[in-house]
Amino acid sequence: MSNRSGKNGGSSKNGTPKKGGSLLGKKPRPKKADGSVYVRDDAPRRNQARVEEKQLPQTNKRLGEFTIDRLSHDGRGVASLDGKTVFIDGALVGEKVTARLVEDHARFIDARIDQLIDSSQERVVPPCEHFASCGGCQLQYMQPSAQVELKQKAVLEQLQRWGGVVPKQILPAISAGDRAYRSRARLGVWYEADGSVTLGFRQRYSNDITPIKQCVVLVPELNVLLAPLHRWLTELHAVKAVTHIELVKGQNTTAIILRHTKKLAEADLLALAELAEATQCKVWLEPNGNLGLTDLTGEPCDPRLGYSVEGVELGFHPQDFTQVNPQVNRQMIAQALDLLALKPTDRVLDLFCGIGNFTLPIAQQCAEVVGIEAVESMVLRGRENAERLNITNAKFIAANLADMTHTQLRRLGGANKEQGIDAILLDPPRDGAKDIIASILRWDAEKQLSPNRIVYVSCNPATLARDSALLAEAGYQLDKLGVLDMFPHTSHIESMALFLR
């Protein structure tokens, strides 16, 4: 959930830079021969083509009444208007609604529900009081089980339509409850003209911030920090200094990270220390952008939090990428290990490995695992964890996988004609793993020892479908597929697929 920057000074309330006072007659003017600068701006210009007045977009206009035919892959109701597909946020199949325009594209229209005329029996009351305005959890009006079914259907449709593949077996969805699951969050701070302060998440269809007192998807340890943090912000002596606040829960520690653009007053720091003691949490500062953390005295620091998976405790920097749903993460890793079906003699590649979320559990079941990640700080964290845990068969390499040739990848992974790679785990970003799969195609063409099993963890059904088609060309069959409900109440879809050679 990204939030408005909340920068002070030259920023307007919607977060765009203010342009300094464009008053009538203030634009630059050429001097006349007599030295005067007077120009009649309303004088007619001869021999100049007439310019048609631009029509402003009619955002928020009422589009009319619709009956919803089906749901899109992200849970929006689908209808039609004048030959265009209309995607209506907040509508369910069979419902009759009126809608308002969000954005008119060349081939489709984005809209939002205005009035609910006939409602579906599947509709439920959203559990969160902020649902109508907060942009964080879009699907709360759907039953949690229906949300999971929607996500599974969306993945299967995209795989068949764009990838031309169908899994031999559908795995049961991995889920762990739809409330109090989120272990980290980033909140925006906004300072109102009347001196009040808003702390919360960005609103739907807007850059404004919804004030949040309680969030149904945050873990309790983070929820209890919202009220004292808001009180601290309202009493801030360094006016408009704090722009964002991150909350992170590790296994045994809760942490607050405050991003500030100017120095905090001594009274602010003292009050913050008292808040940390009262709530039994750690507090770190991030001054002037992403330049590292300091403690409350201003000294640079490099702190660690931790979490456990498969009997392995991983340490991470509070600003490292980690999965926000610890329970689903544990189940996800267990399922990945099951699908990899590793033998003690196997060699494995873990691509886009991060801090070793999969790498180190994999190391316990095979001869060697090589993790490759572009972000060097996370690679260092993986090495640090392996050394602390005395895991000697896990190797971490910093390299940009998108720029790597198939030969470089094979060399870094240690594959050769005598010793190949038995399995690969792919956990790519939303862009997918097209370049990596191209390397696997080359391995096959050059009769290298290609992996027999590939487990693909996806956060984007569209790129999974594309990459599945490429893997099919390389001789891999989609054997199993399952949805991971990592983000209940949102349209975000995570899934895991097993490809067999």
Side-chain angles (χ1 to χ4, degrees):
M1 294 179 237
S2 59
N3 303 290
R4 180 173 56 183
S5 67
K7 291 180 181 178
N8 58 355
S11 294
S12 64
K13 187 173 180 179
N14 64 9
T16 57
K18 288 183 178 178
K19 297 182 179 179
S22 56
L23 300 177
L24 181 63
K26 198 175 180 180
K27 64 181 180 181
R29 293 183 167 90
K31 287 189 177 182
K32 287 194 169 185
D34 60 2
S36 68
V37 295
Y38 178 75
V39 173
R40 283 190 57 188
D41 284 336
D42 59 344
R45 270 61 168 177
R46 290 189 175 183
N47 303 321
Q48 191 170 12
R50 181 184 295 272
V51 179
E52 291 187 7
E53 182 179 349
K54 291 183 178 180
Q55 295 293 322
L56 295 175
Q58 294 178 303
T59 305
N60 204 38
K61 76 172 182 179
R62 189 172 179 180
L63 298 176
E65 189 177 295
F66 302 90
T67 299
I68 305 304
D69 302 323
R70 65 186 190 280
L71 294 183
S72 66
H73 69 277
D74 57 1
R76 293 180 294 172
V78 180
S80 61
L81 176 67
D82 299 331
K84 276 188 175 182
T85 300
V86 184
F87 297 99
I88 304 175
D89 192 8
L92 293 173
V93 173
E95 291 187 332
K96 185 179 290 185
V97 302
T98 62
R100 289 189 178 273
L101 178 67
V102 173
E103 190 170 357
D104 191 354
H105 304 273
R107 296 185 179 181
F108 63 93
I109 296 171
D110 288 327
R112 61 180 177 83
I113 194 170
D114 183 31
Q115 290 181 319
L116 183 59
I117 299 171
D118 292 332
S119 103
S120 166
Q121 292 183 347
E122 300 297 320
R123 181 175 288 273
V124 297
V125 177
C128 178
E129 62 180 302
H130 307 296
F131 170 75
S133 57
C134 179
C137 300
Q138 311 96 331
L139 301 180
Q140 287 189 28
Y141 55 89
M142 297 177 63
Q143 291 277 4
S145 59
Q147 295 176 29
V148 175
E149 289 175 13
L150 169 72
K151 294 175 182 183
Q152 181 171 281
K153 182 179 178 182
V155 176
L156 292 172
E157 285 183 350
Q158 298 242 23
L159 282 169
Q160 188 165 13
R161 177 178 297 181
W162 306 114
V165 296
V166 177
K168 290 179 64 178
Q169 180 183 344
I170 304 296
L171 298 172
I174 286 180
S175 184
D178 62 294
R179 303 192 191 187
Y181 68 81
R182 194 176 182 99
S183 65
R184 64 189 308 151
R186 186 170 184 258
L187 297 102
V189 181
W190 186 256
Y191 302 89
E192 306 293 345
D194 62 2
S196 61
V197 182
T198 301
L199 174 66
F201 300 120
R202 190 170 63 181
Q203 294 182 9
R204 202 169 303 173
Y205 316 119
S206 169
N207 283 326
D208 289 343
I209 290 177
T210 296
I212 301 293
K213 295 181 179 178
Q214 287 287 309
C215 175
V216 298
V217 299
L218 279 185
V219 295
E221 293 89 342
L222 299 185
N223 256 321
V224 297
L225 300 175
L226 297 178
L229 278 170
H230 185 259
R231 285 195 298 271
W232 179 80
L233 287 167
T234 60
E235 299 168 359
L236 203 60
H237 290 75
V239 181
K240 300 183 180 180
V242 179
T243 59
H244 294 88
I245 295 178
E246 291 184 58
L247 307 178
V248 187
K249 181 188 178 300
Q251 184 165 289
N252 301 311
T253 309
T254 303
I256 300 171
I257 301 171
L258 293 105
R259 182 175 184 179
H260 59 99
T261 55
K262 56 185 178 181
K263 188 175 180 180
L264 297 176
E266 287 299 322
D268 299 331
L269 295 171
L270 179 60
L272 199 53
E274 292 173 352
L275 185 156
E277 185 176 357
T279 56
Q280 291 296 294
C281 71
K282 302 288 186 181
V283 179
W284 296 297
L285 305 178
E286 185 190 6
N288 301 317
N290 190 20
L291 299 175
L293 302 182
T294 73
D295 60 23
L296 294 182
T297 69
E299 287 297 314
C301 59
D302 186 22
R304 296 289 182 272
L305 300 174
Y307 67 93
S308 292
V309 286
E310 294 293 316
V312 176
E313 185 171 338
L314 284 82
F316 65 96
H317 186 280
Q319 293 177 304
D320 284 342
F321 169 79
T322 55
Q323 297 290 355
V324 304
N325 193 326
Q327 291 178 288
V328 169
N329 184 51
R330 286 192 287 271
Q331 294 181 62
M332 175 179 72
I333 293 170
Q335 179 171 278
L337 292 172
D338 182 59
L339 295 180
L340 286 168
L342 297 171
K343 300 188 293 292
T345 56
D346 283 346
R347 301 183 69 254
V348 184
L349 274 183
D350 180 8
L351 304 180
F352 308 96
C353 68
I355 66 170
N357 189 50
F358 289 104
T359 321
L360 296 174
I362 286 173
Q364 297 182 308
Q365 299 190 7
C366 68
E368 184 182 19
V369 56
V370 178
I372 302 178
E373 167 63 49
V375 182
E376 189 168 0
S377 62
M378 299 186 79
V379 170
L380 294 174
R381 219 84 69 227
R383 293 171 182 167
E384 176 186 293
N385 281 317
E387 184 176 355
R388 177 175 49 81
L389 296 167
N390 198 29
I391 296 176
T392 58
N393 62 332
K395 182 179 180 182
F396 290 88
I397 297 171
N400 188 344
L401 289 160
D403 297 336
M404 194 177 297
T405 68
H406 74 289
T407 304
Q408 290 172 325
L409 179 61
R410 190 173 64 237
R411 190 187 313 120
L412 286 178
N416 52 52
K417 290 185 178 180
E418 290 74 36
Q419 187 177 38
I421 300 298
D422 299 289
I424 291 179
L425 188 134
L426 284 171
D427 186 11
R430 291 188 60 81
D431 291 341
K434 182 179 179 181
D435 299 315
I436 302 304
I437 293 168
S439 292
I440 295 172
L441 283 166
R442 292 290 299 272
W443 290 355
D444 183 65
E446 296 176 7
K447 301 188 183 304
Q448 298 292 334
L449 296 177
S450 300
N452 292 320
R453 307 174 80 87
I454 297 175
V455 172
Y456 191 130
V457 182
S458 168
C459 60
N460 185 351
T463 51
L464 173 62
R466 179 203 65 199
D467 294 346
S468 296
L470 295 173
L471 283 167
E473 291 178 19
Y476 288 87
Q477 182 182 49
L478 177 54
D479 188 66
K480 294 182 175 67
L481 175 81
V483 168
L484 315 169
D485 196 20
M486 188 72 73
F487 300 90
H489 298 308
T490 78
S491 58
H492 187 86
I493 303 175
E494 298 253 355
S495 57
M496 183 182 294
L498 170 65
F499 294 89
L500 296 180
R501 187 170 175 78

